[in-house]
Amino acid sequence: MDLPRTLRANLATARRTADGTVQVIPQKPVFRSRARRSADWRLILVTDVSGSMEASTIWSALTASVLAGVPTLSTHFLAFSTEVVDLTGHVHDPLSLLLEVSVGGGTHIAAGLRHARGLIEVPSRTLVVVISDFEEGAPLAGLLAEVRALVTTGCHVLGCASLDDAGRPRYSTGVAGQLVAAGMPVAALSPLELARWIGEKTV
């Protein structure tokens, strides 16, 4: 029982006894709730590791490791080129994560999104962030269908344009425009700006 809060919540029941002391009869006891051990939000970073994505892959991995330390976030890291690899087990160690990432190959964003959709448990408390240059190598119709399927679940989606070594965005604006029309906002964000977006969504 939380005694101070119980007393404050039951002040209306306070009575002075015959000897002058004050007695509180708690009608509404207040208990301390056990701290939740599970994360409130799930963040799924779907990261393009195709040959053109080296600079962005590095900052994506470092950003994921920082965000993995946030107690209210359960952070997942999916790396994709033509195949998808779940590197969530390494996300708390940036060096280990970078060593596991293999940059190269083609681009199949739809496969990454399909894998991410399988990780969603509570859509309203799930963030799916795609980091890519959006140079989709597979048929575009499949990518747009995956985006619409994600949006339909009710989760929060965001496309982050890849950045070069100087921090300049480099991505297919044509594909990005179609993703926006399908329901996925696309923006060129620095790691700090991405962290702010996540913070705003999870408040």
Side-chain angles (χ1 to χ4, degrees), residues 41-74:
W41 284 82
R42 175 166 289 188
L43 169 64
I44 306 171
L45 288 171
V46 186
T47 304
D48 187 344
V49 295
S50 60
S52 59
M53 289 290 297
E54 187 171 0
S56 279
T57 298
I58 293 170
W59 78 254
S60 300
L62 294 175
T63 301
S65 292
V66 170
L67 293 172
V70 178
T72 55
L73 280 178
S74 170

Side-chain angles (χ1 to χ4, degrees), residues 40-42 119-127 153-156:
D40 293 324
W41 284 82
R42 175 166 289 188
L119 297 175
I120 297 172
E121 293 180 357
V122 183
S124 63
R125 301 186 76 78
T126 301
L127 309 169
T153 68
C155 69
H156 308 269

Side-chain angles (χ1 to χ4, degrees), residues 21-136:
T21 59
V22 177
Q23 187 178 51
V24 176
I25 309 298
Q27 296 176 345
K28 300 175 182 177
V30 180
F31 297 92
R32 291 189 185 94
S33 59
R34 184 171 293 177
R36 293 182 61 185
R37 303 184 73 177
S38 59
D40 293 324
W41 284 82
R42 175 166 289 188
L43 169 64
I44 306 171
L45 288 171
V46 186
T47 304
D48 187 344
V49 295
S50 60
S52 59
M53 289 290 297
E54 187 171 0
S56 279
T57 298
I58 293 170
W59 78 254
S60 300
L62 294 175
T63 301
S65 292
V66 170
L67 293 172
V70 178
T72 55
L73 280 178
S74 170
T75 302
H76 297 258
F77 190 93
L78 303 180
F80 73 89
S81 53
T82 50
E83 296 182 354
V84 182
V85 180
D86 190 337
L87 299 176
T88 301
H90 300 275
V91 80
H92 287 88
D93 183 344
L95 180 58
S96 173
L97 183 57
L98 282 170
L99 290 174
E100 289 296 323
V101 171
S102 178
V103 177
T107 306
H108 194 179
I109 308 170
L113 293 182
R114 192 176 306 115
H115 194 110
R117 196 151 48 90
L119 297 175
I120 297 172
E121 293 180 357
V122 183
S124 63
R125 301 186 76 78
T126 301
L127 309 169
V128 178
V129 177
V130 183
I131 301 168
S132 177
D133 57 10
F134 304 114
E135 299 283 357
E136 177 67 303

Side-chain angles (χ1 to χ4, degrees), residues 112-195:
L113 293 182
R114 192 176 306 115
H115 194 110
R117 196 151 48 90
L119 297 175
I120 297 172
E121 293 180 357
V122 183
S124 63
R125 301 186 76 78
T126 301
L127 309 169
V128 178
V129 177
V130 183
I131 301 168
S132 177
D133 57 10
F134 304 114
E135 299 283 357
E136 177 67 303
L140 195 55
L143 170 57
L144 298 177
E146 284 299 327
V147 169
R148 293 188 190 102
L150 273 173
V151 172
T152 300
T153 68
C155 69
H156 308 269
V157 295
L158 176 68
C160 281
S162 66
L163 304 176
D164 63 18
D165 291 330
R168 293 183 298 261
R170 195 188 63 75
Y171 64 106
S172 169
T173 55
V175 173
Q178 294 187 62
L179 293 175
V180 171
M184 175 187 283
V186 175
L189 302 179
S190 68
L192 179 58
E193 289 167 333
L194 175 58

